Amino acid sequence: MSDPKRKTGRLSLLGLVKEVFNWYPSSYPAEERKLLFKLDLSILIFACLCFFVKFLDQTNISNAYASGLKEDFGLYGNELNYFNICYFVSYVLFQIPGLLLISRPKFRVTNVHQLYAIRFLVSMLEAPIFAGTHFILGSWYTGPELFKRAGTWFICNPLGNMFSGYLQAAAYTNLSGVGGMPGWRWLFIIDGIFTIPVALIGFFIFPGIPGSPKPFFMTDRDIVLAKERTDRAKIRQPGKMSLDVFKRTLKRWHIWVFVTCYACMIISTYPTSYMNLWLKAEGYSVTQINQLPTVTYAVTIVASWLGSTLAAIYPEWIIFTIACACCTFSSLCMIIWNIPTALKFVAWYAFGAFGCLSPILYSAVNLIVRDDAEERALILGAMMSLGYSFNVWVPLLAYPTAGPDGAPRWRKGWPISFVSFFLLWASFVASVFLWRREQMSEASVSPHESSDEETDTVVVDEALALKD
């Protein structure tokens, strides 16, 4: 899927380190390196900030729940699951069409029903962010560039989770009682303050796609060069939308395999972010409950950046396999459950290896379906909608908050997570195999294709990527 020149040679350790940090290859013309730098300053910076505040907002409910919200509102059933269901129902409904609705809920809630409504509205406004950003990354970047940028962008997922934990700990310690409010309420207020400037930055610097109106910081030559790059990589930009996109998409294997991949990813990783519930059950302090899980997010940051970068250098399926193996091991530990506390911590932290799975998967979609922008958009939206639809009902059955099979023991949930990690790996490997077969078929039909054109095209025959 990536540049053959990066895949075929064996690199020394020093060469590998250089390649990891080689974002602007010297083989690129100067104007192309300058364009990539502009894209990184606009797309990547805003996307990272946006993703950071998204997950800051998304995870604050869990941190607040473990830091006093549960006791203040008398939440001793499955209310935490219901909060998440309110979020994911809206997330699913507004994923594909995107959301333009602007709503301004009350600043302070006084009961659980208002909190349900706010969770629903927050997810409505966040719905297009994830898949939409991947689509835009795939519209500007090609080959190894895409994997590196996708992994760097995804870092802001665990950063948001991590920062939320530290922020909640600080709010609980320093702001409890200020203004007559408990510390967990201040977390929501501070998150809102972070979000406003990010929205303003995006309004001015986010460039959309190459066919969008030219942003102020780009020249006409930049746009021409960007389109030349995508033409070389055979990335087709969006055209006229028609119902035919549904027909041709459903006839191809892409949507079925990739939606299965993402559904398995959503199910398998659902419990991995609830280490705080285990710590709470074990009697750790509120500060420890908010800070100890941040180690998992630190592992996720390293895995997201390094794993995605290595996937731009080595075969993607190998990196994907290693990450899935780590998560499968952790799930097995949780199924056994009665293990030493130190091993339990290792298992929770090893879940962080999943950080590279999502950026590798979405980058693969962008590259494999590069020749049909409408199909690519539909698949990315369907992956999110159908994948997250499982979060509407699976947690109630497999990951209940309360009860004999409730958090964090999840006697039903952890085996489901174990199986889902295996199916995730199998589905991704299947996509690589199917793509390899397609590429071989195309090569046999067009055996006299110009070798110069193959060199210029950064998206390559998967057979080359699999030969190692």
Side-chain angles (χ1 to χ4, degrees), residues 98-190:
L99 184 65
L100 298 177
L101 176 65
I102 297 176
S103 180
R104 193 174 183 182
K106 290 184 178 179
F107 187 65
R108 179 173 178 176
V109 298
T110 57
N111 58 61
V112 67
H113 303 293
Q114 293 173 0
L115 197 52
Y116 290 145
I118 287 177
R119 292 294 290 172
F120 185 90
L121 292 172
V122 166
S123 73
M124 255 197 330
L125 296 169
E126 291 180 353
I129 291 176
F130 189 86
T133 301
H134 271 297
F135 181 82
I136 290 173
L137 289 174
S139 298
W140 290 93
Y141 296 107
T142 64
E145 305 164 7
L146 178 59
F147 280 90
K148 291 180 179 180
R149 271 70 178 183
T152 300
W153 168 64
F154 195 79
I155 284 175
C156 291
N157 172 336
L159 273 178
N161 291 323
M162 178 187 292
F163 192 72
S164 180
Y166 287 122
L167 192 61
Q168 179 61 74
Y172 182 86
T173 303
N174 302 311
L175 294 177
S176 291
V178 175
M181 294 187 294
W184 64 263
R185 287 188 182 273
W186 279 105
L187 177 64
F188 291 97
I189 295 172
I190 295 170

XYZ file of all heavy atoms in Angstrom, residues 98-190:
742
model
N -23.245 14.022 8.140
C -22.554 15.148 8.795
C -23.565 15.998 9.537
O -24.763 15.877 9.361
N -23.069 16.868 10.350
C -23.984 17.656 11.171
C -23.713 19.142 11.061
O -22.605 19.587 11.219
C -23.847 17.217 12.638
C -24.821 17.900 13.575
C -26.245 17.500 13.251
C -24.515 17.569 14.997
N -24.782 19.882 10.717
C -24.676 21.334 10.637
C -25.518 22.019 11.710
O -25.514 23.245 11.821
C -25.123 21.821 9.246
C -24.276 21.293 8.083
C -24.863 21.775 6.756
C -22.840 21.749 8.218
N -26.224 21.222 12.467
C -27.086 21.793 13.501
C -26.254 22.385 14.634
O -25.314 21.781 15.120
C -28.010 20.715 14.060
C -28.914 21.122 15.221
C -29.921 22.163 14.767
C -29.627 19.914 15.789
N -26.580 23.613 15.001
C -25.888 24.269 16.112
C -26.866 24.412 17.275
O -27.966 24.926 17.119
C -25.372 25.661 15.692
C -24.347 25.507 14.564
C -24.754 26.387 16.880
C -23.851 26.825 14.016
N -26.441 23.952 18.423
C -27.311 24.033 19.603
C -26.497 24.560 20.772
O -25.286 24.358 20.842
C -27.874 22.649 19.942
O -28.699 22.717 21.068
N -27.163 25.212 21.632
C -26.463 25.794 22.786
C -27.181 25.376 24.072
O -28.102 26.044 24.535
C -26.460 27.313 22.675
C -25.489 27.965 23.653
C -25.399 29.452 23.426
N -24.436 30.074 24.282
C -24.192 31.372 24.313
N -24.854 32.183 23.507
N -23.297 31.868 25.120
N -26.793 24.256 24.649
C -27.453 23.771 25.851
C -27.109 24.632 27.066
O -26.199 25.450 27.019
C -26.878 22.360 26.025
C -25.547 22.423 25.355
C -25.695 23.386 24.221
N -27.838 24.402 28.127
C -27.575 25.143 29.359
C -26.179 24.833 29.879
O -25.643 23.745 29.708
C -28.589 24.765 30.434
C -30.002 25.282 30.128
C -30.932 24.960 31.280
C -32.326 25.508 31.033
N -33.255 25.180 32.130
N -25.602 25.817 30.516
C -24.232 25.698 30.991
C -24.116 24.720 32.146
O -23.135 24.024 32.288
C -23.743 27.081 31.426
C -22.283 27.106 31.778
C -21.315 26.867 30.815
C -21.876 27.369 33.067
C -19.975 26.897 31.136
C -20.536 27.407 33.397
C -19.580 27.163 32.419
N -25.149 24.658 32.984
C -25.077 23.799 34.167
C -26.299 22.905 34.232
O -27.413 23.361 34.035
C -24.986 24.665 35.426
C -24.922 23.862 36.716
C -24.654 24.758 37.891
N -24.641 24.016 39.136
C -24.367 24.520 40.315
N -24.078 25.800 40.412
N -24.366 23.775 41.403
N -26.049 21.622 34.504
C -27.150 20.681 34.625
C -27.481 20.475 36.097
O -26.635 20.633 36.974
C -26.800 19.326 33.980
C -26.535 19.493 32.509
C -25.608 18.682 34.676
N -28.745 20.121 36.348
C -29.193 19.916 37.728
C -29.726 18.523 37.965
O -30.037 18.172 39.099
C -30.295 20.937 38.084
O -31.378 20.788 37.144
C -29.749 22.355 38.020
N -29.868 17.703 36.891
C -30.338 16.334 37.087
C -29.814 15.442 35.967
O -29.271 15.919 34.965
C -31.867 16.267 37.161
C -32.524 16.820 35.906
O -32.299 16.297 34.804
N -33.330 17.863 36.049
N -30.001 14.147 36.143
C -29.434 13.176 35.225
C -30.047 13.262 33.833
O -29.398 13.019 32.824
C -29.584 11.749 35.809
C -31.037 11.339 35.876
C -28.780 10.745 34.990
N -31.318 13.646 33.728
C -31.987 13.712 32.428
C -31.386 14.799 31.544
O -31.258 14.630 30.328
C -33.482 13.946 32.625
C -34.141 12.886 33.475
N -34.271 11.587 33.051
C -34.662 12.946 34.730
C -34.877 10.875 34.002
N -35.102 11.674 35.028
N -31.020 15.909 32.137
C -30.381 16.976 31.367
C -28.995 16.532 30.880
O -28.566 16.897 29.783
C -30.249 18.228 32.227
C -31.600 18.857 32.584
C -31.453 20.004 33.571
O -30.341 20.329 33.984
N -32.564 20.600 33.955
N -28.315 15.716 31.680
C -27.003 15.228 31.279
C -27.119 14.262 30.107
O -26.279 14.263 29.200
C -26.316 14.545 32.464
C -24.797 14.335 32.373
C -24.093 15.635 32.035
C -24.265 13.773 33.677
N -28.182 13.432 30.095
C -28.427 12.567 28.941
C -28.567 13.407 27.674
O -28.001 13.099 26.618
C -29.714 11.757 29.135
C -29.651 10.676 30.182
C -30.757 10.368 30.969
C -28.478 9.933 30.390
C -30.715 9.370 31.930
C -28.433 8.932 31.360
C -29.555 8.659 32.116
O -29.509 7.665 33.063
N -29.367 14.488 27.765
C -29.614 15.335 26.599
C -28.337 16.001 26.112
O -28.080 16.099 24.900
C -30.663 16.394 26.938
N -27.491 16.461 27.029
C -26.248 17.129 26.651
C -25.301 16.152 25.967
O -24.646 16.486 24.973
C -25.591 17.774 27.887
C -26.390 19.019 28.290
C -24.146 18.140 27.606
C -25.868 19.691 29.524
N -25.220 14.910 26.471
C -24.363 13.908 25.831
C -24.806 13.672 24.389
O -23.988 13.503 23.487
C -24.416 12.586 26.603
C -23.794 12.643 27.977
C -22.304 12.876 27.920
N -21.568 11.731 27.404
C -20.279 11.755 27.123
N -19.578 12.867 27.258
N -19.667 10.682 26.665
N -26.112 13.659 24.165
C -26.649 13.454 22.820
C -26.251 14.611 21.909
O -25.793 14.411 20.784
C -28.173 13.336 22.903
C -28.831 12.997 21.596
C -29.028 11.672 21.233
C -29.251 13.984 20.728
C -29.634 11.345 20.030
C -29.865 13.676 19.524
C -30.050 12.346 19.175
N -26.395 15.844 22.388
C -26.084 17.014 21.574
C -24.587 17.137 21.293
O -24.185 17.522 20.196
C -26.599 18.282 22.277
C -28.123 18.416 22.365
C -28.497 19.604 23.250
C -28.731 18.558 20.994
N -23.760 16.815 22.278
C -22.311 16.879 22.079
C -21.882 15.937 20.966
O -21.103 16.288 20.075
C -21.559 16.541 23.395
C -20.079 16.269 23.120
C -21.691 17.686 24.383
N -22.410 14.709 20.988
C -22.003 13.745 19.964
C -22.535 14.137 18.590
O -21.910 13.840 17.567
C -22.496 12.340 20.326
O -23.882 12.210 20.139
N -23.703 14.807 18.530
C -24.216 15.287 17.246
C -23.207 16.213 16.585
O -22.935 16.114 15.394
C -25.537 16.049 17.461
C -26.746 15.263 17.046
S -28.240 16.252 16.831
C -28.098 17.583 17.951
N -22.669 17.118 17.352
C -21.734 18.096 16.797
C -20.369 17.488 16.504
O -19.610 18.012 15.694
C -21.582 19.265 17.785
C -22.868 20.070 18.012
C -22.700 21.016 19.192
C -23.242 20.841 16.767
N -20.039 16.367 17.150
C -18.744 15.733 16.932
C -18.776 14.668 15.840
O -17.731 14.187 15.409
C -18.258 15.073 18.232
C -17.884 16.061 19.325
C -17.420 15.356 20.596
O -17.515 14.115 20.653
O -16.976 16.042 21.525
N -19.971 14.289 15.385
C -20.124 13.120 14.515
C -19.190 13.098 13.300
O -18.566 12.081 13.020
C -21.584 12.983 14.079
N -19.057 14.196 12.527
C -18.261 14.092 11.300
C -16.749 14.191 11.497
O -16.003 14.043 10.528
C -18.747 15.300 10.468
C -19.859 15.925 11.233
C -19.696 15.506 12.642
N -16.289 14.449 12.700
C -14.877 14.792 12.895
C -13.946 13.661 12.500
O -13.009 13.845 11.719
C -14.621 15.199 14.360
C -15.295 16.540 14.665
C -13.126 15.299 14.635
C -15.178 16.957 16.113
N -14.180 12.474 13.016
C -13.208 11.393 12.848
C -13.100 10.947 11.392
O -12.039 11.040 10.778
C -13.597 10.216 13.744
C -12.547 9.142 13.793
C -11.503 9.217 14.697
C -12.606 8.054 12.936
C -10.524 8.236 14.747
C -11.637 7.061 12.974
C -10.602 7.146 13.884
N -14.220 10.448 10.839
C -14.182 9.965 9.454
C -13.877 11.102 8.489
O -13.165 10.915 7.495
C -15.511 9.295 9.097
N -14.411 12.296 8.771
C -14.181 13.438 7.892
C -12.720 13.832 7.826
O -12.202 14.160 6.756
N -12.039 13.789 8.964
C -10.618 14.139 8.972
C -9.799 13.116 8.203
O -8.882 13.468 7.448
C -10.098 14.251 10.418
O -10.857 15.248 11.113
C -8.630 14.635 10.434
N -10.124 11.823 8.377
C -9.427 10.798 7.603
C -9.646 11.011 6.102
O -8.728 10.827 5.297
C -9.911 9.409 8.004
C -9.129 8.811 9.134
N -7.786 8.526 9.034
C -9.502 8.450 10.390
C -7.358 8.006 10.178
N -8.383 7.947 11.012
N -10.873 11.378 5.721
C -11.157 11.615 4.302
C -10.311 12.769 3.774
O -9.759 12.711 2.675
C -12.642 11.924 4.110
C -13.030 12.147 2.676
C -13.282 11.084 1.833
C -13.124 13.429 2.164
C -13.630 11.283 0.500
C -13.463 13.653 0.836
C -13.717 12.573 0.004
N -10.195 13.826 4.554
C -9.412 14.993 4.122
C -7.926 14.663 4.073
O -7.217 15.064 3.134
C -9.696 16.186 5.053
C -11.127 16.692 4.802
C -8.690 17.312 4.832
C -11.596 17.749 5.759
N -7.433 13.918 5.059
C -6.033 13.496 5.011
C -5.757 12.689 3.744
O -4.743 12.881 3.068
C -5.692 12.655 6.244
C -5.597 13.373 7.587
C -5.400 12.374 8.718
C -4.466 14.397 7.591
N -6.691 11.789 3.406
C -6.526 10.969 2.222
C -6.713 11.727 0.923
O -6.397 11.204 -0.148
N -7.233 12.953 1.002
C -7.414 13.778 -0.189
C -6.194 14.638 -0.495
O -6.077 15.170 -1.601
C -8.643 14.691 -0.010
O -9.826 13.928 0.139
N -5.300 14.812 0.470
C -4.101 15.635 0.278
C -2.814 14.818 0.290
O -1.891 15.091 -0.474
C -3.998 16.697 1.373
C -5.013 17.791 1.323
C -6.217 17.822 1.985
C -4.929 19.026 0.606
N -6.867 18.994 1.721
C -6.106 19.765 0.876
C -3.971 19.588 -0.232
C -6.351 21.020 0.349
C -4.208 20.847 -0.770
C -5.387 21.548 -0.484
N -2.739 13.839 1.201
C -1.491 13.103 1.398
C -1.526 11.770 0.662
O -2.583 11.194 0.427
C -1.252 12.847 2.892
C -1.044 14.099 3.698
C -2.041 14.563 4.557
C 0.143 14.817 3.626
C -1.852 15.714 5.322
C 0.338 15.959 4.385
C -0.673 16.411 5.234
O -0.485 17.542 5.975
N -0.341 11.248 0.334
C -0.243 9.997 -0.398
C 0.778 9.075 0.253
O 1.711 9.534 0.931
C 0.207 10.253 -1.856
O 1.526 10.816 -1.850
C -0.734 11.206 -2.557
N 0.600 7.771 0.053
C 1.578 6.775 0.469
C 2.069 6.904 1.893
O 1.282 7.056 2.824
N 3.390 6.826 2.100
C 3.960 6.903 3.451
C 3.584 8.191 4.189
O 3.460 8.196 5.409
C 5.475 6.838 3.193
C 5.605 6.150 1.880
C 4.418 6.586 1.082
N 3.418 9.303 3.453
C 3.012 10.563 4.093
C 1.715 10.370 4.878
O 1.563 10.882 5.989
C 2.744 11.644 3.039
C 3.861 11.914 2.079
C 3.364 12.697 0.883
O 2.181 13.129 0.873
O 4.155 12.889 -0.053
N 0.781 9.628 4.266
C -0.541 9.464 4.864
C -0.469 8.699 6.179
O -1.088 9.093 7.177
C -1.463 8.751 3.872
C -2.888 8.458 4.348
C -3.596 9.754 4.723
C -3.662 7.722 3.260
N 0.274 7.595 6.193
C 0.389 6.796 7.420
C 0.991 7.625 8.554
O 0.518 7.590 9.692
C 1.252 5.560 7.159
C 0.515 4.441 6.485
C 0.472 4.364 5.103
C -0.146 3.476 7.216
C -0.205 3.345 4.464
C -0.822 2.442 6.594
C -0.858 2.368 5.208
N 2.053 8.368 8.240
C 2.718 9.155 9.283
C 1.808 10.236 9.835
O 1.747 10.465 11.048
C 4.006 9.767 8.721
C 5.090 8.743 8.420
C 6.350 9.388 7.856
C 7.423 8.348 7.589
N 8.672 8.921 7.047
N 1.074 10.927 8.946
C 0.179 11.999 9.408
C -1.015 11.428 10.176
O -1.430 11.986 11.194
C -0.319 12.835 8.231
C 0.565 14.012 7.870
C 1.870 13.580 7.261
N 2.708 14.710 6.856
C 3.876 14.552 6.253
N 4.333 13.347 5.958
N 4.600 15.612 5.927
N -1.565 10.309 9.694
C -2.710 9.711 10.382
C -2.334 9.267 11.785
O -3.098 9.464 12.743
C -3.248 8.532 9.571
N -1.141 8.679 11.927
C -0.698 8.256 13.251
C -0.438 9.416 14.179
O -0.789 9.381 15.359
N 0.170 10.482 13.644
C 0.434 11.670 14.458
C -0.875 12.320 14.897
O -1.017 12.751 16.049
C 1.286 12.674 13.659
O 2.524 12.055 13.302
C 1.568 13.921 14.484
N -1.826 12.389 13.978
C -3.132 12.970 14.315
C -3.836 12.156 15.394
O -4.419 12.705 16.332
C -3.993 13.037 13.056
C -5.431 13.338 13.313
C -5.954 14.475 13.854
C -6.550 12.488 13.050
N -7.327 14.382 13.936
C -7.707 13.179 13.448
C -6.684 11.215 12.497
C -8.989 12.629 13.323
C -7.953 10.672 12.375
C -9.081 11.376 12.784
N -3.754 10.828 15.287
C -4.471 9.964 16.233
C -3.903 10.073 17.642
O -4.574 9.712 18.614
C -4.418 8.509 15.753
C -5.408 7.612 16.438
C -6.739 7.607 16.045
C -5.018 6.782 17.481
C -7.659 6.786 16.674
C -5.930 5.955 18.117
C -7.259 5.960 17.709
N -2.671 10.561 17.757
C -2.078 10.750 19.078
C -2.984 11.591 19.979
O -3.025 11.412 21.199
C -0.697 11.426 18.948
C 0.341 10.410 18.453
C -0.237 12.033 20.267
C 1.692 11.018 18.181
N -3.718 12.517 19.374
C -4.533 13.432 20.180
C -5.730 12.744 20.815
O -6.377 13.312 21.692
C -4.989 14.610 19.323
S -3.606 15.672 18.881
N -6.052 11.528 20.376
C -7.060 10.727 21.072
C -6.591 10.407 22.491
O -7.222 10.817 23.475
C -7.342 9.464 20.240
C -8.244 8.449 20.944
O -8.335 8.403 22.157
N -8.888 7.608 20.165
N -5.476 9.666 22.647
C -5.014 9.394 24.014
C -4.560 10.636 24.762
O -4.653 10.684 25.993
C -3.843 8.419 23.801
C -3.392 8.650 22.404
C -4.635 8.985 21.640
N -4.057 11.655 24.039
C -3.678 12.890 24.738
C -4.895 13.520 25.401
O -4.820 14.006 26.531
C -3.045 13.879 23.757
C -1.539 13.774 23.514
C -1.108 14.795 22.480
C -0.773 13.964 24.814
N -6.019 13.533 24.689
C -7.239 14.074 25.267
C -7.691 13.263 26.466
O -8.076 13.811 27.500
N -7.622 11.925 26.341
C -7.980 11.060 27.466
C -7.052 11.270 28.651
O -7.480 11.365 29.808
C -7.916 9.593 27.022
C -9.008 9.232 26.046
O -10.123 9.714 26.160
N -8.699 8.383 25.077
N -5.755 11.332 28.355
C -4.770 11.510 29.407
C -4.948 12.857 30.114
O -4.979 12.934 31.351
C -3.356 11.406 28.817
C -2.251 11.630 29.835
S -0.609 11.714 29.053
C -0.426 10.023 28.512
N -5.082 13.909 29.320
C -5.204 15.244 29.894
C -6.477 15.365 30.722
O -6.506 16.055 31.748
C -5.189 16.286 28.779
C -5.022 17.690 29.268
C -3.796 18.126 29.758
C -6.084 18.576 29.262
C -3.637 19.422 30.221
C -5.939 19.875 29.721
C -4.706 20.305 30.201
N -7.553 14.674 30.262
C -8.794 14.710 31.018
C -8.608 14.115 32.404
O -9.154 14.616 33.393
C -9.895 13.943 30.259
O -11.108 13.963 30.978
N -7.808 13.033 32.487
C -7.555 12.425 33.789
C -6.786 13.354 34.716
O -7.146 13.534 35.881
N -5.722 13.971 34.186
C -4.951 14.910 35.008
C -5.790 16.136 35.369
O -5.706 16.661 36.483
C -3.689 15.343 34.261
C -2.628 14.279 34.186
C -2.136 13.834 32.963
C -2.102 13.713 35.347
C -1.157 12.847 32.888
C -1.121 12.729 35.286
C -0.659 12.304 34.056
O 0.306 11.332 33.995
N -6.598 16.577 34.410
C -7.430 17.756 34.646
C -8.460 17.477 35.728
O -8.726 18.320 36.597
C -8.114 18.165 33.341
C -8.802 19.528 33.311
C -7.785 20.635 33.558
C -9.478 19.736 31.959
N -9.064 16.269 35.685
C -10.047 15.921 36.700
C -9.398 15.815 38.069
O -9.967 16.257 39.074
C -10.733 14.603 36.344
C -11.772 14.166 37.374
C -12.903 15.156 37.521
O -13.765 15.262 36.668
N -12.908 15.911 38.619
N -8.194 15.241 38.110
C -7.492 15.137 39.391
C -7.197 16.522 39.949
O -7.372 16.785 41.151
C -6.195 14.346 39.206
N -6.767 17.441 39.086
C -6.466 18.803 39.523
C -7.731 19.534 39.953
O -7.742 20.259 40.954
C -5.768 19.568 38.399
N -8.813 19.334 39.186
C -10.073 19.988 39.537
C -10.600 19.473 40.860
O -11.104 20.239 41.698
C -11.102 19.760 38.420
N -10.501 18.178 41.076
C -10.981 17.585 42.326
C -10.182 18.112 43.508
O -10.720 18.412 44.572
C -10.870 16.063 42.248
C -11.391 15.354 43.479
C -12.747 15.048 43.598
C -10.532 14.991 44.519
C -13.230 14.398 44.735
C -11.001 14.345 45.650
C -12.351 14.048 45.753
O -12.828 13.417 46.873
N -8.861 18.252 43.305
C -7.988 18.681 44.400
C -8.084 20.177 44.669
O -8.127 20.613 45.831
C -6.520 18.319 44.074
O -6.420 16.912 43.844
C -5.597 18.721 45.217
N -8.139 20.988 43.604
C -7.995 22.437 43.760
C -9.280 23.242 43.589
O -9.341 24.392 44.030
C -6.953 22.955 42.755
C -5.602 22.284 42.918
O -5.081 22.201 44.027
N -5.037 21.795 41.819
N -10.279 22.674 42.923
C -11.479 23.465 42.619
C -12.740 22.982 43.318
O -13.796 23.597 43.159
C -11.717 23.479 41.097
C -10.649 24.199 40.265
C -10.962 24.067 38.778
C -10.568 25.675 40.657
N -12.651 21.888 44.056
C -13.833 21.408 44.777
C -14.307 22.472 45.767
O -13.531 22.962 46.593
C -13.504 20.104 45.534
O -13.284 19.050 44.646
N -15.569 22.851 45.620
C -16.146 23.860 46.504
C -16.057 25.272 45.979
O -16.776 26.163 46.460
N -15.204 25.524 44.970
C -15.088 26.860 44.398
C -16.385 27.197 43.652
O -16.859 26.423 42.830
C -13.892 26.950 43.421
C -13.867 28.317 42.731
C -12.590 26.701 44.172
N -16.938 28.348 43.959
C -18.210 28.736 43.345
C -19.360 27.869 43.785
O -20.401 27.830 43.100
N -19.171 27.130 44.860
C -20.235 26.260 45.342
C -20.428 25.016 44.501
O -21.479 24.354 44.601
N -19.419 24.654 43.698
C -19.554 23.500 42.821
C -18.498 22.447 43.144
O -17.368 22.798 43.505
C -19.413 23.920 41.352
C -20.536 24.814 40.845
S -20.435 25.097 39.068
C -18.907 26.027 38.962
N -18.835 21.159 42.988
C -17.836 20.100 43.168
C -16.837 20.110 42.029
O -17.091 20.673 40.954
C -18.679 18.816 43.167
C -19.908 19.169 42.384
C -20.182 20.612 42.688
N -15.698 19.437 42.232
C -14.633 19.453 41.232
C -15.026 18.866 39.896
O -14.564 19.330 38.847
N -15.892 17.835 39.902
C -16.232 17.207 38.617
C -17.004 18.153 37.719
O -16.936 18.049 36.491
C -17.000 15.901 38.830
C -18.355 16.011 39.481
C -18.641 15.833 40.808
C -19.592 16.314 38.835
N -19.981 16.009 41.036
C -20.593 16.298 39.836
C -19.963 16.604 37.528
C -21.927 16.557 39.563
C -21.296 16.857 37.246
C -22.265 16.834 38.250
N -17.752 19.121 38.284
C -18.458 20.101 37.445
C -17.466 21.041 36.751
O -17.671 21.445 35.603
C -19.432 20.921 38.296
C -20.680 20.167 38.741
C -21.663 21.112 39.416
N -22.843 20.433 39.904
C -23.932 20.197 39.178
N -23.951 20.576 37.911
N -24.968 19.588 39.694
N -16.408 21.390 37.457
C -15.420 22.296 36.870
C -14.735 21.664 35.652
O -14.295 22.376 34.740
C -14.378 22.685 37.920
C -14.854 23.782 38.817
C -15.278 23.681 40.108
C -14.969 25.166 38.467
N -15.657 24.910 40.588
C -15.475 25.847 39.602
C -14.697 25.890 37.317
C -15.711 27.219 39.604
C -14.926 27.265 37.314
C -15.429 27.901 38.452
N -14.636 20.333 35.623
C -14.031 19.666 34.468
C -14.799 20.004 33.184
O -14.195 20.300 32.147
C -14.028 18.147 34.694
C -13.487 17.300 33.535
C -12.014 17.593 33.295
C -13.696 15.811 33.819
N -16.131 19.968 33.243
C -16.936 20.272 32.059
C -16.773 21.738 31.642
O -16.722 22.060 30.455
C -18.415 19.976 32.344
C -18.711 18.507 32.493
C -18.782 17.920 33.741
C -18.911 17.713 31.371
C -19.061 16.571 33.887
C -19.191 16.365 31.502
C -19.261 15.790 32.758
N -16.677 22.619 32.616
C -16.518 24.047 32.316
C -15.180 24.301 31.629
O -15.100 25.001 30.601
C -16.617 24.876 33.616
C -18.025 24.762 34.210
C -16.272 26.345 33.345
C -18.154 25.390 35.589
N -14.118 23.719 32.165
C -12.785 23.925 31.592
C -12.710 23.332 30.182
O -12.123 23.933 29.272
C -11.712 23.298 32.511
C -11.685 24.045 33.857
C -10.341 23.353 31.854
C -10.843 23.375 34.919
